[in-house]
Amino acid sequence: MLRYTLMRLGIFVGCFVVVWALVYSGVAPRGLGSSNGMWMIMLALVVSAPISFVALRKERDRASERIAPRLDRSIDRVKSNLAANRSQEDEADDAARTPAPSGATAADTDAGNAKAAESGAEAEGVKAS
């Protein structure tokens, strides 16, 4: 990957030197005011991009062959972590939705609900005072 990056940078620098020579010889137009440097950089980028695309095709393919297995391993690891998190979330949700134990009757749960409502009303009475 470093080799590809350095080759791409070399092509850009070569294009920049050519653009610089063309601008200062008057063949290519100069930028407006102080934008001449930015104009030359942008022009060099526009010229070097298609050259890099064509000239570095084999090197780009070699670099992607080296990167692809690592990327596949990373994607597999992320997918397994996501599946583990989903299963934990599903287990917690299922546990929260399970009905009361079979020994508890409806009267027990109604009495518990009434007691909770009373304590809530008492707490609001204290806040109102």
Side-chain angles (χ1 to χ4, degrees):
M1 188 69 186
L2 180 63
R3 182 177 173 184
Y4 173 74
T5 303
L6 291 175
M7 291 172 78
R8 182 117 192 238
L9 186 62
I11 290 174
F12 170 74
V13 169
C15 288
F16 183 77
V17 169
V18 169
V19 167
W20 177 80
L22 291 173
V23 166
Y24 281 104
S25 67
V27 175
R30 293 180 185 248
L32 297 173
S34 64
S35 68
N36 196 32
M38 185 61 73
W39 165 251
M40 288 189 303
I41 289 173
M42 295 301 290
L43 196 56
L45 280 172
V46 167
V47 170
S48 71
I51 293 171
S52 295
F53 184 74
V54 173
L56 300 179
R57 177 171 287 145
K58 289 180 184 176
E59 188 62 35
R60 187 174 51 249
D61 290 342
R62 274 189 235 130
S64 67
E65 286 173 1
R66 283 181 272 174
I67 292 173
R70 281 189 282 164
L71 185 62
D72 289 340
R73 284 194 304 268
S74 296
I75 290 172
D76 290 341
R77 187 175 41 233
V78 167
K79 284 182 180 179
S80 66
N81 288 343
L82 185 60
N85 288 342
R86 276 193 199 133
S87 67
Q88 286 177 351
E89 192 174 298
D90 289 344
E91 290 169 4
D93 188 45
D94 291 343
R97 292 176 187 245
T98 55
S102 60
T105 63
D108 292 339
T109 55
D110 288 343
N113 290 340
K115 189 180 267 188
E118 288 176 7
S119 64
E122 290 174 4
E124 287 197 22
V126 171
K127 285 180 189 177
S129 300

